[in-house]
Amino acid sequence: MEPSMDVNSVTISVEGMTCISCVRTIEQQIGKANGVHHIKVSLEEKNATIIFDPKLQTPKTLQEAIDDMGFDALLHNVSPLPVLTNTVFLTVTAPLALPWDHIQSTLLKTKGVTGVKISPQQRTAVVTIIPSLVSASQIVELVPDLSLDVGSQEKMSGACDEHSTPQAGEVMLKMKVEGMTCHSCTSTIEGKVGKLQGVQRIKVSLDNQEATIVYQPHLITAEEIKKQIEAVGFPAFIKKQPKYLKLGTIDVERLKNTPVKSPEGSQQKIPSYPSDSTATFIIEGMHCKSCVSNIESALSTLQYVSSIVVSLENRSAIIKYNASSVTPETLRKAIEDVSPRQYRVSIANEVENTPSSPSSSSLQKMPLNLVSQPLTQETVININGMTCNSCVQSIEGVISKKPGVKSIRVSLANSTGTVEYDPLLTSPETLREAIEDMGFDAILPDANEPLVVIAQPSLETPLLPSTNEPDSVMTPVHSKCYIQVSGMTCASCVANIERNLRREEGIYSVLVALMAGKAEVRYNPAVIQPPMIAEFIRELGFGAMVMENADEGDGVLELVVRGMTCTSCVHKIESTLTKHKGIFYCSVALATNKAHIKYDPEIIGPRDIIHTIESLGFEASLVKKDRSASHLDHKREIKQWKRSFLVSLFFCIPVMGLMIYMMVVDHHPATLHHNQNMSDEKKISMFLEHQILPGLSIMNLLSLLLCLPVQFCGGWYFYIQAYKALKHKTANMDVLIVLATTIAFAYSLVILLVAMYERATVNPITFFDTPPMLFVFIALGRWLEHIAKGKTSEALAKLISLQATEATIVTLNSENLLLSEEQVDVELVQRGDIIKVVPGGKFPVDGRVIEGHSMVDESLITGEAMPVAKKPGSTVIAGSINQNGSLLIRATHVGADTTLSQIVKLVEEAQTSKAPIQQFADQLSGYFVPFIVLISIATLLVWIIIGFQNFEIVETYFPGYNRSLSRTETIIRFAFQASITVLCIACPCSLGLATPTAVMVGTGVGAQNGILIKGGEPLEMAHKVKVVVFDKTGTITHGTPVVNQVKVLVESNRIPRNKILAIVGTAESNSEHPLGAAVTKYCKQELDTETLGTCTDFQVVPGCGISCKVTNIEGLLYKSNLKIEENNIKNASLVQIDGINEQSSTSSSMIIDAHLSNAVDTQQYKVLIGNREWMIRNGLVISNEVDSSMIEHERKGRTAVLVTIDDELCGLIAIADTVKPEAELAVHILKSMGLEVVLMTGDNSKTARSIASQVGITKVFAEVLPSHKVAKVKQLQEEGKRVAMVGDGINDSPALAMANVGIAIGTGTDVAIEAADVVLIRNDLLDVVASIDLSRKTVKRIRINFVFALIYNLIGIPIAAGVFLPIGLVLQPWMGSAAMAASSVSVVLSSLFLKLYRKPTYDNYELGARRHTGQRSPSEISVHVGIDDASRNSPRLGLLDRIVNYSRASINSLLSDKRSLNSVVTSEPDKHSLLVGDFREDDDTTL
């Protein structure tokens, strides 16, 4: 008989049975049901045990069937238990009296028969029975014409024995099968293809969407199999070319011939070999006869062993073997390898024997290492939830019957199961799922699966050079490769890749990092190569590319080593470390006391290396890494530009004063002549013009002294920048500034020295006022720019500070008991370490939970405020915070590979790689500088030529013409003065001021309106934005859960609503969960109280709910009633006289006091609050109405929580994150400004769709990771769109940094605020609109400024060059300075006009938008999950639904958004969307 399992059993508790008649009724009714094989009802135990066919019935349908009969049926364990079935083979012995159809129907009616297959041609019947209900002999009695087919039985059992090994000439084929959705699809394919002639076996995997088929090619082809699968309705493709399962002769022989015991039972007879030897082994660890037979059967399969006798009493084994092929040491190891590998074996002695009968030479040549390799793999599964030996036996019983399982040993003490299996028939993941289906928690450890090779010996295999070292031959070669994986969106993608790759032949281990998008794979290069691994990943639907720089995964360690005295110490450390396995490179520097080491983190870790160095007698410690991100700090630049500005300003003020004064006084001679007395001004003017030395006036001396420090201290950095620019053959603003100031200064100095040398009486005109004025404005602009830039590095410092600095590493023994704890630096944590994280602690590294349950705050990564439940097997993220339970985790990603490090890296890259938009002035000056220099030189040359041609022109127009000078000198001086005037008037001062002044005013105005803009770049950039991307949590929504609805599920006369709120509020007051806090806050608001009752026996089950006992709520309820009564009295007092009013109020208070005194004996309430699972676990039944109500809330993205008081379901609370009231209006205005609006969130698509429908966004990206937010922003930018990102969380910071303009909500995290370009101080989304509007106005102002700046230059340059001299229009140098000053002043005044900017108010916006706003129906919203672009469109709504939806939205848009909390609304919330901007809760409905 062949055991199998396609029948299940379930036990259902049945309440309400009174007598044996009830029992019979249930048994008769349910027994008739289709698919029920047997039912046994017990009146004493009040339960029913049903054996049923899982294809036709489920535990739920059976429970409902009993419920429908009027009894209360409860299902404690939803997972049914498998029932063992056997197959009986019947054959026809005599001519049949009855037809085959009659035989089939007779058998099927028999209790315990689950299936009958009849083959009239072969005259056989195959009957599947439940052996506990019916036996084979009873079946034969039923149909006398049939008898038990013994041959077939034996053949089948033989087939069972050989089941796990494919025969020679068989072919294995892998096919990709598409369209499978459930296990029913897999069983359909397996059933159809498995029946085909020539198909030996088939295994279909739903996870991989593939089928593995072993078939005989001489009977059936791969193409025929493919057609059969497609005939069932599933598209199939051949993944790999069929490959023959090559089995050597030895394997086939070993599989066919099971060893036969001799009559005495203890000796194995096997043909002897020539030169036989005998060896005696002492074996420790045998317990019973089973151990003896295990060792005998295992060793007797080896070709070189002639005989073996094992004695349990003497604890010995005497083995006769072929000495030319094998050594005693190899036999000793072979015994030790016998399952369960607990034997300790030593060699007692060896005896040489005479050669016995000769044997085939081919067998002698066989190398042992190829023969002794197993055809099975072994895996260890961690099993939690076992309580007694019954659980152990149950698991062993069920799993041992699974196809491909050779043996299973379950340890209750270690909570593990060790399974030996055939990898062709099953996989560890399938076994794990089977154990979980039985109701236990099963986890596969991270440890690599053992490599198992099917032996392939050929007759030509040469003798191995040494048989004494078989281990060296058997050790497989490990190689490691890195694969870049794209398209992963969540942890399930990681699990999918890891699980499927581990199944592939030649792959030992896989580790996938989600944030880095990288897979580290250890493989056997003889079996598989990296391009094939990448191909496997691509077959799973992800993008994969082999990374060439494989060194990336190597660990690099910098150590400080103390105690070295000479080079021999260095050599000692280097030689010791390089001998260690896993260390690639080591370099120790004696001078700096530092060691630089490269190592493989999988083999060795930093702690091991430090320990090795310390064992040599030196001290070693980590080089402390800078955690402050100072490499992106701008402190030095800020300091230098501040100093430059202050120096320039200090000397510039007096220079400007002198210049303006001289301009005003010197050029009003007519006014002064009218005045008879010489005025004071003239006196001062005369004093300044007075010459201390001939040719040196006081004015020029003061100007020189004030200009010198500015030129060489204030302008020092400009000179450096200009030198660097010229070195790279570019001309920027710095070059022009340096050129103008240096020529002006040098020219002025030369003129002054010449005048002094000539002892001139007329003071020369100098330009000492130019450098200070230029430097002061430009230095101020640079200083402010670097202050803004410096802010960005603070973001990284904040991010890095989230990382835990220390970790608690624990050591566990084999029973998982804690042996020791050790605090180490987080940099010393190695992959595979077990780390303890206490409540409130941060996770130091990424890892997987191995013990404990807790809630973890992962808002750091996901941005979602709700804590996540963690249990063994869950992954945790570095930097997230453990909340309420201690956890033990195994480190999977450490150091730079952790998710947090990857986020830091993303922000860093976004900030450093973002190319600043060069200011228009800089671009212009690139052409402007050479152009002006050329004009200046041209002016000089032209005037020299004109001077020599026509000296009279120079004589007439040169203001400082001195007849004592020679003609040549006069011409050169005049030409030089004209060219300097050109340089001066064309000075880029006004151009330089055009952008910074407008930006300074614009940012100042923004700050007054609650919009902080960091510098000119974002301000300039915002007007070019085409797409605005909003984060959901905390940006579009408030980011904190709020109670939306409380539904009372009992009559108000039994438990009033206020009483439920008082009890629930008290119960949740002890909870730390955000949902609990939201419920407590709501209850306090509704009851108008700050204090609640008393809560005892409080217990929280993460991911389920809470249970507790509540007392002392009576006083609370009386206070609530008192307030209602007082309100009534106040209303009554309007029509009653004061006396009556006072009397009634005192009497009411007396009544209350009386009530309170009576209510000393307070009642205790048993409270349960939680989800469906929590209620079912506590034995409560949830009706269909309540369930559908919960589903409706969940569809709208709310969390539905049930409340039971004293085991009665009495309330449903819907909690959700509410949309900000201005969100819809802000989205509408942005769209009306011509911008595309997108919603991007890490939350699920259901919630995202609900929120989008409320605010009118039609494009949504849901379930998006931080790195994918960056990728999405990049993708939009690659489409040529400028992107503004609006966010508030740490998870948004990389995207904020990557976007052209990052806008952070002021109430968000510091990191987001630092990474953003624009910060909205007020938590108001309309400020997003205002910031873009302000940007547009500022850029317009900058353009006007450029017009002002350029007009002066365009008009002034030709005049300065002397183009208009013939018509008498001449520009004196002072006029050049005046024009320059005027252009600067006009630019500054133009910028100050921005001060008049006023931000449009909420009412202005609302007025304009009122007619156009309206909610989107879900059908108009396209939701994209993760980074994938394939949108999931909502189902189209019916016409009636849409009419209802639009009418509600339009009615709503006519109402004001500022509704009171007490607004009366419809009793049920809108079916397809929440009403916009709705803070109030939906009215409570009583069922």
Side-chain angles (χ1 to χ4, degrees), residues 1271-1291:
K1272 199 74 233 171
V1273 168
K1274 233 184 217 163
Q1275 194 180 318
L1276 289 166
Q1277 286 169 336
E1278 280 161 10
E1279 289 168 19
K1281 296 171 181 172
R1282 300 281 164 84
V1283 181
M1285 170 83 195
V1286 187
D1288 74 318
I1290 290 167
N1291 61 312

Side-chain angles (χ1 to χ4, degrees), residues 942-954 967 971:
V942 167
W943 276 117
I944 288 172
I945 293 162
I946 290 173
F948 282 113
Q949 293 293 325
N950 190 351
F951 182 65
E952 284 75 22
I953 296 174
V954 175
R967 185 174 166 174
I971 291 167

Side-chain angles (χ1 to χ4, degrees), residues 887-900:
L887 293 176
L888 287 184
I889 67 164
R890 179 173 272 112
T892 55
H893 296 90
V894 297
D897 293 332
T898 63
T899 308
L900 185 63

Side-chain angles (χ1 to χ4, degrees), residues 446 494 498 510-520 803 826 829-833 835 843-848 875-878 889-902:
D446 290 338
V494 171
E498 286 184 350
V510 186
L511 190 65
V512 181
L514 180 63
M515 287 294 293
K518 195 169 75 174
E520 179 188 306
Q803 175 82 53
V826 78
V829 176
Q830 297 169 191
R831 196 189 285 177
D833 279 343
I835 296 155
F843 289 94
V845 291
D846 291 4
R848 196 169 271 118
T875 51
V876 291
I877 299 165
I889 67 164
R890 179 173 272 112
T892 55
H893 296 90
V894 297
D897 293 332
T898 63
T899 308
L900 185 63
S901 301
Q902 292 295 326

Side-chain angles (χ1 to χ4, degrees), residues 320-621:
K320 196 176 274 189
Y321 63 98
N322 178 4
S324 64
S325 302
V326 72
T327 62
E329 179 58 26
T330 312
L331 291 171
R332 185 186 72 77
K333 286 186 178 171
I335 300 171
E336 283 189 339
D337 282 340
V338 173
S339 182
R341 297 185 182 174
Q342 291 172 346
Y343 306 118
R344 295 177 300 286
V345 185
S346 56
I347 303 169
N349 60 9
E350 283 179 57
V351 184
E352 281 295 326
N353 257 11
T354 52
S356 48
S357 63
S359 176
S360 74
S361 59
S362 66
L363 283 172
Q364 287 182 25
K365 286 181 188 172
M366 288 297 170
L368 170 77
N369 68 303
L370 289 174
V371 178
S372 63
Q373 286 190 7
L375 272 166
T376 58
Q377 283 190 359
E378 189 177 271
T379 186
V380 178
I381 301 171
N382 296 330
I383 306 169
N384 295 330
M386 298 188 292
T387 52
C388 59
N389 273 324
S390 158
C391 301
V392 172
Q393 285 161 6
S394 166
I395 295 169
E396 285 181 343
V398 171
I399 302 301
S400 62
K401 305 292 187 298
K402 291 280 175 195
V405 175
K406 303 289 184 65
S407 71
I408 175 168
R409 296 185 306 283
V410 179
S411 163
L412 181 63
N414 300 343
S415 295
T416 59
T418 307
V419 189
E420 282 187 6
Y421 63 94
D422 179 352
L424 283 171
L425 291 172
T426 188
S427 70
E429 183 59 27
T430 312
L431 297 171
R432 185 193 69 76
E433 285 170 1
I435 295 170
E436 283 209 329
D437 291 343
M438 294 177 68
F440 301 97
D441 284 343
I443 302 155
L444 285 170
D446 290 338
N448 302 345
E449 290 180 12
L451 173 73
V452 175
V453 182
I454 293 180
Q456 292 286 347
S458 67
L459 298 180
E460 290 79 28
T461 310
L463 263 172
L464 291 172
S466 162
T467 50
N468 293 333
E469 296 177 23
D471 290 352
S472 64
V473 184
M474 288 174 71
T475 306
V477 184
H478 280 233
S479 287
K480 187 162 67 171
C481 69
Y482 290 88
I483 293 170
Q484 193 74 49
V485 184
S486 57
M488 297 187 291
T489 55
C490 59
S492 74
C493 299
V494 171
N496 187 11
I497 293 171
E498 286 184 350
R499 184 177 65 240
N500 286 300
L501 279 188
R502 283 199 189 113
R503 288 177 181 169
E504 294 297 338
E505 194 183 353
I507 292 178
Y508 306 135
S509 73
V510 186
L511 190 65
V512 181
L514 180 63
M515 287 294 293
K518 195 169 75 174
E520 179 188 306
V521 186
R522 281 191 171 280
Y523 64 97
N524 180 358
V527 179
I528 198 166
Q529 286 299 317
M532 280 175 73
I533 299 170
E535 185 54 41
F536 289 144
I537 296 174
R538 280 195 283 274
E539 282 175 6
L540 295 172
F542 302 95
M545 197 172 67
V546 179
M547 294 166 74
E548 297 305 325
N549 49 343
D551 290 346
E552 204 179 310
D554 298 341
V556 176
L557 190 61
E558 291 276 354
L559 295 178
V560 176
V561 183
R562 306 253 175 234
M564 296 187 292
T565 52
C566 59
T567 48
S568 73
C569 302
V570 172
H571 175 69
K572 189 178 177 185
I573 295 170
E574 285 182 350
S575 59
T576 308
L577 285 178
T578 45
K579 278 177 199 164
H580 261 276
K581 194 180 174 188
I583 293 180
F584 307 128
Y585 165 81
C586 173
S587 163
V588 181
L590 181 64
T592 56
N593 281 342
K594 279 189 180 171
H596 183 81
I597 300 149
K598 274 190 182 175
Y599 63 95
D600 184 340
E602 287 222 340
I603 298 171
I604 197 166
R607 288 206 311 283
D608 307 328
I609 295 169
I610 289 174
H611 183 70
T612 305
I613 295 171
E614 285 176 345
S615 66
L616 296 172
F618 304 99
E619 282 178 35
S621 60

Side-chain angles (χ1 to χ4, degrees), residues 886-955:
S886 270
L887 293 176
L888 287 184
I889 67 164
R890 179 173 272 112
T892 55
H893 296 90
V894 297
D897 293 332
T898 63
T899 308
L900 185 63
S901 301
Q902 292 295 326
I903 288 187
V904 170
K905 192 171 158 199
L906 281 170
V907 176
E908 226 166 23
E909 281 172 3
Q911 287 187 348
T912 51
S913 67
K914 188 197 283 185
I917 312 302
Q918 277 295 317
Q919 300 289 357
F920 179 52
D922 256 11
Q923 290 175 347
L924 192 65
S925 65
Y927 305 104
F928 188 77
V929 176
F931 173 70
I932 295 299
V933 172
L934 285 172
I935 290 217
S936 185
I937 293 166
T939 307
L940 182 75
L941 296 173
V942 167
W943 276 117
I944 288 172
I945 293 162
I946 290 173
F948 282 113
Q949 293 293 325
N950 190 351
F951 182 65
E952 284 75 22
I953 296 174
V954 175
E955 205 173 12

Side-chain angles (χ1 to χ4, degrees), residues 1086-1105:
E1086 285 294 293
L1087 298 169
D1088 194 14
T1089 177
E1090 277 307 307
T1091 55
L1092 294 164
T1094 311
C1095 175
T1096 53
D1097 295 349
F1098 183 83
Q1099 281 184 319
V1100 61
V1101 176
C1104 285

Side-chain angles (χ1 to χ4, degrees), residues 1046-1052 1054-1057 1059-1061 1063-1064 1165-1169 1175 1180-1181 1186 1201-1213 1485-1487:
V1046 174
K1047 204 169 205 173
V1048 181
L1049 306 175
V1050 290
E1051 296 83 0
S1052 56
R1054 287 183 49 215
I1055 308 179
R1057 180 176 180 277
K1059 188 173 184 178
I1060 292 173
L1061 291 179
I1063 293 169
V1064 170
Y1165 304 93
K1166 182 186 165 200
V1167 184
L1168 292 171
I1169 304 172
M1175 296 302 151
L1180 287 146
V1181 182
V1186 176
V1201 175
L1202 295 168
V1203 178
T1204 68
I1205 299 171
D1206 293 334
D1207 294 330
E1208 184 178 6
L1209 198 61
C1210 56
L1212 186 155
I1213 304 173
T1485 319
T1486 306
L1487 290 181

